Amino acid sequence: MQRAALLLVCGLAMSPAAALADDKPSDAEAKLISTALADWGCEGGTVEKESEGSGVLEAEDVKCKAGQFDFRLDKDGKVFAITRD
């Protein structure tokens, strides 16, 4: 019984769902994100900063004329990935 519980705990600890949550971007990073989104003609969404130390900024559920998208930006605010939501 104890072994089964230990295996369950270890399995959960190693699952992707146990990954660290993203961080809130600083005010300067949030401004970089909103400026980049405006340049693409988009606005809104939820902004985050990856907690892994990569410097990647994210904007999810962003509203654009063509629909709703998720954006990934580098630490300088340059968009490097856009996916349709």
Side-chain angles (χ1 to χ4, degrees):
M1 183 72 148
Q2 287 179 337
R3 183 173 183 199
L6 178 62
L7 289 173
L8 176 64
V9 169
C10 289
L12 289 174
M14 294 173 31
S15 74
L20 297 173
D22 289 337
D23 298 325
K24 180 179 177 188
S26 68
D27 290 340
E29 291 166 334
K31 184 170 175 64
L32 275 175
I33 295 169
S34 63
T35 300
L37 296 178
D39 289 346
W40 284 83
C42 304
E43 62 183 8
T46 304
V47 296
E48 299 174 329
K49 179 179 180 179
E50 285 191 352
S51 58
E52 294 85 16
S54 63
V56 172
L57 304 169
E58 300 174 328
E60 299 177 346
D61 304 325
V62 176
K63 305 240 185 299
C64 303
K65 289 180 183 176
Q68 188 167 305
F69 296 88
D70 293 342
F71 284 73
R72 292 178 50 91
L73 303 88
D74 65 18
K75 62 182 174 60
D76 298 318
K78 304 292 183 203
V79 175
F80 68 87
I82 303 172
T83 54
R84 188 171 198 126
D85 224 10

